[in-house]
Amino acid sequence: MKDRYPCNPNLRTRPLGIIFIPQFLLEQWTTGGVLLRYHCDWRGEIESAPASPKSVCFERDLYKTVGFPPEHAQQMETLFMQVVDDAAAKVHAQILDGDVRSLSDAQCSDWGRFVFSLWFRTPLDMRGLKDAVGALAGPESGRAIVDGEHVALPPAALSALQMEILRTVIDDAERGRALINMEWLVIKTTNPREFFVSDWPLDVPVSFAWLGSNSSYVSLPIGPNALFVAAGSRSLADRIATLPERELIMRQNRSTVGHAQSFVSARSAQAAAFISAHFGGRTRYSVTQGIADKYKGPAI
């Protein structure tokens, strides 16, 4: 049975896509192995229906390296993303109990790498990455020169370069240390309201203070009643931790639902009104698309 509600009209022309979010995270919102998936259909209505975590978080060939043999084309997924997610899943089980301070250095690195990957792993960011690499490596950019001529890189080389850049930015040591050195905490709530999850469930400052500054923070729902927070200072961490639960949940859900491009998941059908009011209502800055926009245009 599917229910429909009006949603943000700006989403009506957006193609429905399936965003990759790891199953270990989505499974926290399941009941009997399925979760309630909300998305905005082509009519501009919120549609809800039960779905398995795998069907929600899978997009075919999202990280495919074009031009590689079939047995190697998905190496970005199998040799990197899957490793990132498998390691994070083990840490997730521990921090769900609020046990953050006992994490080892290796566990902090595993979890930090996963959180950082969420900035870059969606189709929105992958499109931006492909546009950015194409703009920088195209013959009109003045950066791809062979024998004195400006030539375009072949598709296989472009695709391999895109995947290598993605791996490099997710594994960036400097930004990884900045995230790990922030104040980490897990907030468990008892309020009847729950946190939602979506294709981009992070909350960061509107000004996007970069990781490591005193005013920067990152929050991520790790369960319907659990929120992971990394704050740039102890005082900021304390302010977030002492927010009334209702306010904390509403603030996080506005970001989680507002940044959604494809889906939102919740355990309760009563979430429909909130989701329809906020779905896709916030513009999320894509780092990769920002690079692409910067270098598109006239030849340099």
Side-chain angles (χ1 to χ4, degrees):
M1 179 69 180
K2 296 181 179 181
D3 298 316
R4 294 186 173 87
Y5 309 86
C7 70
N8 188 334
N10 294 329
L11 294 172
R12 294 181 182 179
T13 59
R14 295 181 185 176
L16 176 62
I18 304 299
I19 310 300
F20 186 88
I21 296 293
Q23 291 184 56
F24 79 79
L25 188 62
L26 292 177
E27 283 170 354
Q28 303 305 311
W29 279 265
T30 60
T31 301
V34 298
L35 46 73
L36 190 58
R37 174 178 179 267
Y38 293 85
H39 73 272
C40 191
D41 67 16
W42 63 273
R43 288 175 290 251
E45 297 177 327
I46 287 292
E47 183 178 271
S48 66
S52 71
K54 184 176 181 179
S55 68
V56 169
C57 69
F58 177 76
E59 175 165 316
R60 186 176 301 279
D61 297 335
L62 181 60
Y63 307 119
K64 181 178 181 180
T65 307
V66 177
F68 277 36
E71 63 271 23
H72 299 300
Q74 299 293 344
Q75 60 179 317
M76 182 65 188
E77 168 62 22
T78 59
L79 299 181
F80 185 73
M81 287 299 191
Q82 186 173 317
V83 173
V84 169
D85 293 343
D86 287 348
K90 297 175 182 177
V91 182
H92 176 260
Q94 183 170 336
I95 66 175
L96 266 179
D97 295 328
D99 194 8
V100 175
R101 297 187 183 280
S102 65
L103 295 178
S104 67
D105 290 345
Q107 288 176 313
C108 288
S109 294
D110 290 340
W111 184 252
R113 184 178 294 110
F114 164 68
V115 173
F116 199 56
S117 77
L118 295 177
W119 261 283
F120 303 101
R121 64 193 297 169
T122 72
L124 172 68
D125 301 296
M126 290 303 295
R127 287 194 298 270
L129 177 61
K130 292 176 181 179
D131 287 347
V133 173
L136 288 167
E140 70 282 358
S141 71
R143 286 172 170 77
I145 302 177
V146 178
D147 295 331
E149 298 293 330
H150 298 274
V151 298
L153 292 177
L158 273 176
S159 183
L161 182 58
Q162 290 158 4
M163 294 301 106
E164 179 60 21
I165 291 174
L166 179 62
R167 185 198 65 77
T168 300
V169 296
I170 290 175
D171 231 2
D172 180 84
E174 180 181 356
R175 296 304 174 191
R177 282 193 299 271
L179 178 59
I180 290 172
N181 289 334
M182 296 171 76
E183 297 286 342
W184 287 14
L185 66 152
V186 171
I187 301 173
K188 304 294 286 291
T189 61
T190 58
N191 193 287
R193 295 174 178 82
E194 66 177 51
F195 294 111
F196 305 145
V197 69
S198 72
D199 47 87
W200 205 79
L202 297 173
D203 184 26
V204 296
V206 174
S207 60
F208 200 75
W210 195 235
L211 297 176
S213 73
N214 289 337
S215 59
S216 63
Y217 69 86
V218 181
S219 58
L220 167 69
I222 56 175
N225 305 109
L227 184 71
F228 168 80
V229 177
S233 65
R234 169 47 57 185
S235 61
L236 177 58
D238 290 341
R239 290 199 302 273
I240 295 173
T242 55
L243 284 172
E245 286 189 356
R246 184 180 186 279
E247 181 181 350
L248 179 70
I249 294 168
M250 293 292 283
R251 285 176 57 167
Q252 179 65 45
N253 283 345
R254 286 191 186 101
S255 180
T256 298
V257 179
H259 288 132
Q261 296 288 304
S262 178
F263 79 91
V264 174
S265 287
R267 291 189 302 182
S268 172
Q270 296 177 348
F274 181 93
I275 292 173
S276 64
H278 297 278
F279 197 112
R282 293 189 178 185
T283 300
R284 179 174 75 82
Y285 175 72
S286 169
V287 175
T288 56
Q289 191 60 58
I291 296 172
D293 293 340
K294 179 178 179 180
Y295 289 103
K296 281 180 179 179
I300 300 175

